[in-house]
Amino acid sequence: MADTIKCPSCGSNLTLNADTQLLDCPNCGQSFNPSTLDVTVEELEQKAPEAASESGAEPAHKTAEAVSEPVNEEAPEQTEFVCNSCGAKVVTDVHTAATFCAFCGSPALVGKRLTERFQPTYMIPFKFSRDVAEAAFVKWAGKGRWTPFGFVSKKNIAKLTGLYVPFWLFDIEADIHAAGTAKKVTCVGDKRITDTYSFERTGKAVWNFVPLDGETRISDELMEAIEPYDFRGLIPYDYRYLPGFYADRYDQSPEDLATRATERGVKGMSQLIRKSLMGKYDEHTIKENRSKLEKMEANYALLPVWFLSYQYHNKNYYFAMNGQTGEVAGELPVSPVKRVMLFFVLLGIFAVVARILLGIFMRGIWG
């Protein structure tokens, strides 16, 4: 069963306004602070069968289990839910936790998919609205010299989706112990004097909230490109910030991401050692490095991303915007038409210049 958050005044479905951080009612125009709507996921699940019955959907005993039932054997990754606003059956994949009804447009929460082991510990609500994200996409696309004509179209912009991406936030502790030699060059007049020193770097290092996305369908490189998030904005997970956006649940566990987390930790240790030597020496050589990661723990969180995927000449391209900070990243397609046009423009310029030079040369010969 799909759940929604209802307006206390008129009963219409509420959606989150990222600009104001309030739940807006499109019917009566009122806005509500999410923290004041004291309805739990469990209560929504109990009310959902009643709402479905009132809307003309199938009986509760048929729809209550729909969330976990495959649609068919050929598509085991797809399931269906019943919209409690219009009673329509909507097909989605098993990882989707918040979506929209394709028939009436109502925001829908598939509450059971973010409970128990799939319930996040933290989240960061969206801070940028769709209008801001669209403007950012247009500006970003406009920077591409080879961006195809008509690429920034209503059709493409319509695909822009506000998505809560599942992340694991790793807390990493490290013990740093490195030693080596370093050189410092001093110029005295015309002479270069090189002094050699021994160095040792020891200490403890802690990194909190190192984000690694737990969704295999989204590019890891793209998610890292829109970092960092301001984790001072983390709040305990609250499903009331989901309406109006999509949300996925993870399909990679912390164990699956252990290698990536270790690589981030090792990179962090190397950066700290290098940073401690920069400015003091001109070059250095590490001869002994017994640094190691001592502890890694992970917490599950949903982080906001405005996401767009598109296809051009049978190749997929992606755009992402950090829904909290506005950082953007992606890859733009290259228009072969623009390249051909540039070639002929340059060819024309070359022909004109050649003609001028030839005329000057001929006048020089014939005086």
Side-chain angles (χ1 to χ4, degrees):
M1 178 59 60
D3 309 316
T4 54
I5 300 177
K6 300 293 186 181
C7 173
S9 298
C10 69
S12 297
N13 295 324
L14 300 176
T15 57
L16 180 70
N17 184 325
D19 292 328
T20 63
Q21 295 294 289
L22 298 175
L23 288 167
D24 290 347
C25 177
N27 184 46
C28 67
Q30 295 193 66
S31 299
F32 304 90
N33 188 320
S35 63
T36 63
L37 301 179
D38 297 324
V39 182
T40 66
V41 173
E42 290 75 15
E43 289 173 336
L44 282 172
E45 289 175 356
Q46 291 172 3
K47 294 179 181 180
E50 298 174 7
S53 178
E54 293 172 1
S55 64
E58 293 185 8
H61 71 276
K62 288 188 178 181
T63 60
E65 299 300 324
V67 169
S68 59
E69 290 294 326
V71 173
N72 57 60
E73 294 181 359
E74 296 180 357
E77 293 300 309
Q78 292 184 328
T79 58
E80 65 182 23
F81 63 81
V82 177
C83 175
N84 71 2
S85 292
C86 70
K89 286 187 176 181
V90 181
V91 176
T92 182
D93 64 68
V94 296
H95 299 295
T96 300
T99 183
F100 295 86
C101 174
F103 297 93
C104 70
S106 297
L109 309 178
V110 190
K112 292 181 180 178
R113 296 189 183 172
L114 288 180
T115 57
E116 299 177 355
R117 71 188 181 94
F118 286 109
Q119 180 166 314
T121 303
Y122 302 109
M123 72 182 301
I124 294 179
F126 273 85
K127 302 296 183 183
F128 289 102
S129 65
R130 182 181 185 86
D131 290 341
V132 175
E134 289 181 356
F137 170 72
V138 171
K139 182 179 180 181
W140 171 79
K143 293 180 179 179
R145 178 182 299 177
W146 307 110
T147 304
F149 294 110
F151 173 71
V152 183
S153 63
K154 291 183 178 180
K155 180 180 178 181
N156 275 342
I157 292 178
K159 299 176 184 177
L160 193 64
T161 301
L163 176 66
Y164 279 106
V165 177
F167 274 81
W168 290 100
L169 306 182
F170 282 82
D171 293 333
I172 303 174
E173 296 181 11
D175 180 33
I176 296 178
H177 191 135
T181 58
K183 295 180 180 180
K184 188 172 182 64
V185 179
T186 305
C187 294
V188 180
D190 295 333
K191 294 183 178 181
R192 289 169 55 89
I193 301 173
T194 301
D195 295 314
T196 302
Y197 303 89
S198 296
F199 72 83
E200 183 176 12
R201 293 293 185 270
T202 60
K204 300 288 185 181
V206 178
W207 297 275
N208 293 318
F209 306 126
V210 178
L212 296 178
D213 69 280
E215 170 61 83
T216 57
R217 296 175 297 178
I218 297 179
S219 166
D220 298 334
E221 291 75 15
L222 187 61
M223 291 299 96
E224 289 181 10
I226 60 173
E227 292 181 18
Y229 283 89
D230 182 357
F231 289 107
R232 291 174 297 181
L234 273 180
I235 64 171
Y237 169 69
D238 189 337
Y239 76 94
R240 290 168 290 197
Y241 286 92
L242 297 183
F245 299 95
Y246 291 84
D248 277 358
R249 71 184 190 188
Y250 68 85
D251 58 7
Q252 287 183 298
S253 68
E255 291 73 23
D256 296 328
L257 298 172
T259 299
R260 284 181 59 203
T262 299
E263 290 173 353
R264 293 282 289 266
V266 170
K267 182 179 179 180
M269 289 189 293
S270 297
Q271 289 175 339
L272 282 178
I273 295 171
R274 185 167 59 251
K275 186 176 180 180
S276 71
L277 298 170
M278 287 177 59
K280 298 180 180 180
Y281 307 105
D282 296 304
E283 59 180 89
H284 69 273
T285 302
I286 296 177
K287 296 186 175 181
E288 180 186 15
N289 192 346
R290 291 187 281 115
S291 302
K292 62 181 180 179
L293 300 179
E294 293 189 321
K295 186 178 180 181
M296 286 198 307
E297 295 181 347
N299 286 296
Y300 180 28
L302 296 180
L303 303 185
V305 177
W306 282 102
F307 187 76
L308 175 64
S309 63
Y310 41 90
Q311 193 175 71
Y312 184 74
H313 283 195
N314 296 320
K315 181 180 177 181
N316 292 321
Y317 295 86
Y318 302 95
F319 164 83
M321 174 180 137
N322 187 313
Q324 181 202 33
T325 67
E327 184 69 27
V328 300
E331 181 183 5
L332 284 167
V334 175
S335 170
V337 175
K338 280 192 173 182
R339 285 190 165 181
V340 171
M341 289 176 61
L342 179 63
F343 171 77
F344 282 108
V345 168
L346 293 177
L347 188 63
I349 293 174
F350 176 77
V352 170
V353 172
R355 248 180 112 177
I356 293 173
L357 292 176
L358 181 62
I360 294 174
F361 178 74
M362 294 301 292
R363 283 196 297 272
I365 291 179
W366 299 106

